[in-house]
């Protein structure tokens, strides 16, 4: 009987090395540009997002929002791990906790961060220094200088039509 060495064993097509695995960390409100949004606006942003950062079936996706945008994000984006955190920079803090606690550099070859917020600059630089490739996806004009200089790969969403954002009239002065 022929016995194969471990290195000669056929690899399952579903098994992927950590270098090939990708995780998308999505700050929905940042991509949409507002916490006052709709499921339709989130779905449109997702379509545009997929043109610059394709979502592969085996990719992990983590959506983070504050409570106001949670339902719109969940219904508009589709399947994903969902995080909700209230307060100033709640979605940012939820995603930073994922980066800090879940050893992303050891588990994924690429982290795709969908946010332009400078609060992520240090965490992204650390991921890269640990050997993980980092891509940032942001709206044009909404990328902080600190985050831009912290990563090597930045991609911008195509300009979205004004109809994608829910506009509320300003209160009369």
């Amino acid at each position: 009987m022929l016995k194969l060495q471990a290195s000669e064993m056929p690899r399952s097509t579903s098994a992927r090395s950590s270098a090939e695995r990708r995780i998308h960390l999505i700050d929905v409100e940042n991509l949409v540009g507002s916490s006052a949004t709709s499921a339709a606006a989130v779905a449109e942003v997702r379509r545009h997002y997929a043109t610059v950062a394709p979502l592969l079936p085996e990719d992990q996706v983590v959506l983070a929002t504050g409570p106001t945008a949670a339902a719109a994000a969940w219904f508009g984006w589709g399947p994903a791990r969902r995080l909700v955190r209230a307060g100033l920079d709640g979605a940012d803090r939820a995603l930073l906790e994922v980066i800090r606690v879940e050893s992303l550099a050891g588990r994924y070859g690429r982290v795709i961060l969908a946010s332009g917020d400078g609060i992520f600059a240090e965490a992204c630089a650390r991921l890269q220094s640990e050997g993980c490739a980092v891509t940032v996806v942001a709206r044009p004009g909404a990328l902080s200088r600190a985050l831009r200089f912290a990563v090597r790969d930045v991609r911008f969403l195509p300009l979205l039509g004004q109809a994608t954002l829910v506009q509320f009239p300003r209160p009369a002065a």
Side-chain angles (χ1 to χ4, degrees), residues 76-141:
W77 193 275
R81 177 177 163 196
R82 301 164 179 172
L83 305 176
V84 177
R85 184 162 302 169
L88 186 63
D89 299 325
D92 295 346
R93 290 183 294 115
L95 292 175
L96 284 168
E97 186 174 334
V98 169
I99 294 170
R100 183 178 52 81
V101 173
E102 297 186 18
S103 305
L104 298 186
R107 297 173 52 213
Y108 299 95
R110 178 167 303 275
V111 171
I112 300 100
L113 173 70
S115 177
D117 291 340
I119 195 171
F120 293 106
E122 185 179 326
C124 287
R126 189 175 332 102
L127 283 168
Q128 287 181 147
S129 73
E130 294 171 355
C132 185
V134 177
T135 297
V136 167
V137 176
R139 286 180 295 116

Side-chain angles (χ1 to χ4, degrees), residues 10 38 50 52 78 113 160:
S38 67
V52 295
L113 173 70
L160 304 175

